[in-house]
Amino acid sequence: MRFLSSTFVAVVIAAAMPLPGFAQSKSQKDIPPPVEITGDARRTDVHTLAGGDLIVQYNNPDRQDNPTDNPTPSRIRIFIPGNHERIKAILFDLGATYTSDNTELQAVAREEGWAIIGCLLRYKHGTELLDRAIAEAAAKADRPELVNAPIVLAGFSRNGARAWDFAEEARNQSRTAGLILGGNPGITSGMVSREGTQNEARVTLAQRMPALTVVGSRDPFVDYDKGEAKFWHNATYPKIREIPDVTWGMMIGWGYGHGWEGSWTPFTVYMQDVLMLRLDGPAAADGTTRMKPIKFEDGWFAEYGWTRDWPEIAPVATFTGDRSKAVWLPSENLAHVWRAYQVQKPKVSLTVDDGVLLASPPTDATSVEFFDRGRSLGTASSAPFSLPVKLQGVQTIFAVATTPAGTTPSRPVTVVNGRPLDWQRGTAAEKDAGSPANIVIVSEAGRATARAIMVGQPAEPAAVAALRVELEPLAKSPHVEQRDAAARLLAAMNAAAAN
């Protein structure tokens, strides 16, 4: 297990040679060489968490595309699990800095050996920072494999198209295992123009690099409120399926809006299986791996429609339903989870508690079978419909009831070493990570004092005075985010002193 000092380090970087790692998005080829930045204008801040886990924060001065633009902060945060000697893969969210701070995702990543990168680089020249940020984080955390480890790209909302741009670059194709997408407006991600012309390079990419979109049924950005015909799954996904052999699946998160939290259960299964399917042998010492293309014909189909509790799922070769409309999925495991996830109004509920699975099915149920993805865990034939099981690792569990009216499943639940995950709790942790106390670059002692101040808890006068010394320079920082966070903390401290 690795432990690093929690103190931050001022980094001096010269504008020089490009680093190995991420290629820049093809829309960013006009990026000028990065300027030389010295002193504490750029810092890589390393925080050691419980169990030796790390959060690495990369800070860069705010940028403007044009002199009249408002400054946009650049933020990159990386979660690195402390219980693995080597990182096996990276979940890389291109549009949300604090995905790395989602405690439930961290539980999955800790078990699987994944790092999580969250970043927000919305200005035109943002991608110039990625190689530098990853290389600095790898050096500071003593994890050189971060520079080359395989990645699954996440692109939410407008960052969905950006994820495809990023994946298309040759250097990124060699390490991108797949894409997860959500909240995307009516786009086919550059495969088809508005005039209907196919972009052959993008189509070729989508035929061998799998993607999965999960859209919230109450997400206004996918036009759910404009009628069933204009909803993403009816208006856009069929256009994707019209293109031969495109390896792109989709799901609907019933009841969810414009956010990730309803999607992580199927995305976890997707990431597990896509990495298993695409990685060709063990990684080299520097983290590089060979990537196998994924084949459309090796996937599974799921029945399009969302009106039945138990739609058909089957390998592409043996599917008997409407193949032109069927949802494509990369694996049997994900197909089984898809079928449980897609039920609009589940008639079965599932409780996971202390190694016991308990289902509450319709009163006329004759049996309940419990599954971990595509694997049966056992069957209960009478009430109470419960099953004692040994739960270990990352599992996706659901119950399937048999009734006189047919077969009906519960929604799937992600379970890590017996604990069912609460994705709302993880989302709350992301929001907490964006508080001023977590943004400012201060000592760990100062951060603890800042957290106490932000929630109205008492703090020792000496600790408050020491924090003030750290915050006053940050209040004049070239980083708008650092400057604003420091100002908010100083205001809170002054208010507390006045009372």
Side-chain angles (χ1 to χ4, degrees):
M1 188 173 295
R2 299 165 181 250
F3 294 88
L4 296 182
S5 168
S6 62
T7 56
F8 54 78
V9 183
V11 181
V12 180
I13 299 289
M17 65 187 70
L19 298 166
F22 298 107
Q24 299 173 55
S25 167
K26 70 184 223 174
S27 62
Q28 309 297 330
K29 288 182 177 177
D30 59 342
I31 292 173
V35 297
E36 181 174 348
I37 301 176
T38 60
D40 66 354
R42 175 187 281 134
R43 300 167 99 159
T44 302
D45 193 16
V46 180
H47 303 283
T48 303
L49 309 178
D53 297 339
L54 303 178
I55 286 285
V56 183
Q57 178 168 301
Y58 180 87
N59 308 282
N60 198 71
D62 308 313
R63 292 291 300 272
Q64 295 166 276
D65 292 337
N66 301 299
T68 56
D69 292 347
N70 291 324
T72 304
S74 58
R75 307 189 295 264
I76 302 171
R77 283 171 71 88
I78 307 172
F79 170 79
I80 302 172
N83 62 334
H84 289 265
E85 285 297 316
R86 292 178 60 81
I87 296 302
K88 299 176 183 176
I90 300 171
L91 171 60
F92 187 7
D93 192 338
L94 284 164
T97 307
Y98 299 109
T99 300
S100 56
D101 294 84
N102 184 312
T103 51
E104 307 301 81
L105 272 181
Q106 288 177 357
V108 173
R110 194 176 295 115
E111 192 65 26
E112 296 287 339
W114 300 340
I116 306 171
I117 298 178
C119 70
L120 184 62
L121 302 173
R122 281 185 172 165
Y123 47 83
K124 183 178 179 182
H125 301 314
T127 49
E128 71 190 72
L129 300 177
L130 284 173
D131 281 346
R132 294 175 177 274
I134 302 303
E136 288 185 23
K140 293 292 175 285
D142 190 24
R143 296 300 185 107
E145 71 274 15
L146 277 174
V147 175
N148 296 302
I151 59 176
V152 172
L153 285 171
F156 194 84
S157 194
R158 57 178 153 174
N159 290 296
R162 183 164 172 255
W164 278 107
D165 285 345
F166 190 90
E168 190 175 356
E169 290 299 320
R171 172 66 180 87
N172 299 335
Q173 286 188 40
S174 67
R175 68 181 298 196
T176 302
L179 296 90
I180 59 178
L181 307 161
N184 310 123
I187 57 171
T188 53
S189 292
M191 288 191 295
V192 182
S193 70
R194 294 178 184 275
E195 294 75 29
T197 304
Q198 286 192 12
N199 176 341
E200 295 303 326
R202 184 62 56 86
V203 168
T204 299
L205 177 67
Q207 287 170 335
R208 59 188 179 83
M209 183 179 292
L212 176 65
T213 293
V214 178
V215 294
S217 68
R218 300 191 61 80
D219 185 345
F221 291 91
V222 295
D223 295 332
Y224 88 93
D225 54 348
K226 295 181 181 178
E228 188 72 12
K230 293 186 177 181
F231 192 12
W232 195 91
H233 69 282
N234 284 327
T236 301
Y237 187 68
K239 296 177 182 177
I240 294 170
R241 283 287 289 112
E242 287 173 2
I243 304 170
D245 299 338
V246 167
T247 56
W248 191 338
M250 70 87 60
M251 298 185 180
I252 300 175
W254 297 105
Y256 292 108
H258 195 63
W260 279 128
E261 66 271 10
S263 313
W264 289 121
T265 289
F267 282 153
T268 295
V269 180
Y270 171 83
M271 190 166 173
Q272 287 173 315
D273 281 10
V274 163
L275 287 168
M276 178 184 66
L277 291 168
R278 296 215 60 201
L279 298 187
D280 188 7
D286 64 354
T288 56
T289 56
R290 295 184 302 274
M291 201 76 69
K292 296 181 291 187
I294 203 159
K295 297 180 180 179
F296 182 89
E297 60 268 25
D298 292 339
W300 278 59
F301 273 155
E303 180 183 335
Y304 184 91
W306 294 275
T307 58
R308 299 201 301 137
D309 281 4
W310 199 246
E312 180 188 1
I313 58 170
V316 166
T318 60
F319 184 77
T320 61
D322 187 340
R323 301 171 66 85
S324 66
K325 290 185 176 181
V327 175
W328 182 90
L329 298 165
S331 68
E332 179 180 1
N333 281 333
L334 191 60
H336 281 276
V337 171
W338 182 95
R339 182 158 57 184
Y341 189 81
Q342 63 82 45
V343 177
Q344 291 194 42
K345 296 179 180 180
K347 302 178 182 69
V348 182
S349 63
L350 172 67
T351 302
V352 181
D353 185 22
D354 197 25
V356 176
L357 308 180
L358 176 64
S360 297
T363 56
D364 59 352
T366 57
S367 67
V368 173
E369 188 170 8
F370 298 90
F371 287 85
D372 171 18
R373 297 165 292 183
R375 180 173 67 93
S376 176
L377 298 175
T379 300
S381 300
S382 61
F385 294 98
S386 63
L387 182 73
V389 291
K390 182 179 181 180
L391 300 174
Q392 189 172 9
V394 179
Q395 298 171 282
T396 304
I397 295 175
F398 56 94
V400 179
T402 300
T403 73
T407 303
T408 186
S410 73
R411 288 271 169 79
V413 177
T414 306
V415 179
V416 176
N417 292 325
R419 180 176 75 86
L421 299 189
D422 180 349
W423 295 117
Q424 290 184 342
R425 175 184 174 186
T427 300
E430 292 183 44
K431 293 178 180 177
D432 181 63
S435 74
N438 290 315
I439 291 173
V440 289
I441 308 170
V442 295
S443 64
E444 287 301 297
R447 196 176 306 282
T449 303
R451 286 172 178 159
I453 291 168
M454 290 304 297
V455 296
Q457 295 177 351
E460 292 292 331
V464 173
L467 176 59
R468 187 179 294 276
V469 170
E470 293 191 79
L471 291 176
E472 286 176 346
L474 289 177
K476 303 174 184 178
S477 169
H479 303 260
V480 66
E481 188 177 45
Q482 292 293 317
R483 188 168 63 246
D484 289 351
R488 288 178 62 188
L489 278 167
L490 286 169
M493 292 164 67
N494 292 336
N499 295 328

